[in-house]
Amino acid sequence: MNIILLGPPGAGKGTQARHLVETRNMIQLSTGDMLREAKDSGTEMGKVVADVMARGDLVTDEIVIGLIREKLEGDKAGGFIFDGFPRTLAQADALAKLLDATGETLDAVVELRVRDEALVARIVGRSTCGTCGEVYHDETKPIPADGKCTNCGGTEFKRRADDNEESLKNRLMEYYKKTSPLLGYYYAKGLLKRVDGLAAMEVVQAAIKAELDK
């Protein structure tokens, strides 16, 4: 099964993707992770990525599609989770052509629905484990008193510089301008499934499972 997770910044896509990796043996294709991996790989594609990033330029859609193609041609495990791509209608069209060319299909697009006001409360005060990416929050899930991640035991925690109210509003504007049109795009294809992204993590996990198992 190949799926896309959609939702605004802070909707919980990364957390739910990790759960699907653990429970369904899926492969998470995170744009950021793929670029970092490629940059350090020493492959021809990796050299292109490293050069672009060294110049401070934006990585083109063609490069990202090339990286995804490499992943699709490798181990498929329990299927792929597209996390962070596509972000635009043009990217969605490019992904559709790639899947068709590689004999793959897109089975579902899961939207994590959230309210903007709730996102601010969720994101401000958020931190992640620098080792495994486990998410913590000053109010709802504080870093353990012993300073160790409950998931991996790591002791380094990071906060995104743009995890503040003003930056979030800018990121939301980008989402609504460029990415939210994908909801109608995939609804028209009969692929869109919606779950409440503000529910408890376990409830969201169960809702996604129920949608994917239909």
Side-chain angles (χ1 to χ4, degrees):
M1 174 173 281
N2 300 319
I3 70 170
I4 293 173
L5 294 179
L6 279 181
K13 298 183 295 296
T15 298
Q16 296 303 324
R18 285 193 296 275
H19 179 72
L20 291 169
V21 169
E22 294 171 359
T23 58
R24 303 176 83 105
N25 194 34
M26 300 181 78
I27 298 173
Q28 180 183 3
L29 298 184
S30 167
T31 305
D33 290 344
M34 285 192 296
L35 290 172
R36 285 186 289 271
E37 179 183 326
K39 182 172 70 71
D40 299 330
S41 67
T43 64
E44 289 304 313
M45 180 64 79
K47 292 175 183 177
V48 172
V49 171
D51 181 57
V52 171
M53 296 178 74
R55 295 197 309 267
D57 295 339
L58 291 177
V59 176
T60 65
D61 290 352
E62 289 76 12
I63 290 176
V64 177
I65 284 291
L67 294 175
I68 293 175
R69 179 186 290 276
E70 289 183 349
K71 296 294 186 181
L72 294 179
E73 293 173 346
D75 179 19
K76 293 177 172 52
F80 297 96
I81 306 165
F82 297 97
D83 176 15
F85 191 93
R87 293 179 184 269
T88 66
L89 291 173
Q91 291 177 355
D93 283 337
L95 179 60
K97 292 177 182 177
L98 174 60
L99 291 172
D100 185 60
T102 54
E104 294 289 336
T105 59
L106 183 62
D107 299 289
V109 177
V110 181
E111 178 197 6
L112 299 177
R113 306 189 74 178
V114 295
R115 299 189 313 277
D116 293 350
E117 298 82 1
L119 279 179
V120 174
R122 173 182 283 187
I123 287 182
V124 176
R126 182 177 65 174
S127 57
T128 58
C129 172
T131 302
C132 71
E134 185 74 7
V135 180
Y136 294 86
H137 192 280
D138 293 346
E139 296 182 6
T140 59
K141 186 182 176 183
I143 296 171
D146 62 3
K148 295 182 179 180
C149 174
T150 55
N151 185 54
C152 72
T155 57
E156 292 187 13
F157 299 89
K158 301 178 180 179
R159 288 186 189 269
R160 283 182 53 156
D162 57 356
D163 273 356
N164 57 72
E165 186 169 352
E166 189 60 35
S167 293
L168 175 59
K169 288 179 179 178
N170 293 332
R171 289 157 62 194
L172 283 173
M173 181 62 71
E174 284 295 297
Y175 173 79
Y176 290 128
K177 286 168 58 179
K178 298 180 179 179
T179 306
S180 62
L182 293 179
L183 299 175
Y185 176 94
Y186 286 118
Y187 175 80
K189 289 177 175 286
L191 295 171
L192 187 64
K193 302 175 183 294
R194 293 184 167 104
V195 300
D196 179 8
L198 289 176
M201 182 174 63
E202 295 78 8
V203 175
V204 179
Q205 290 170 355
I208 292 176
K209 181 179 186 303
E211 290 292 345
L212 296 182
D213 289 345
K214 285 182 179 178

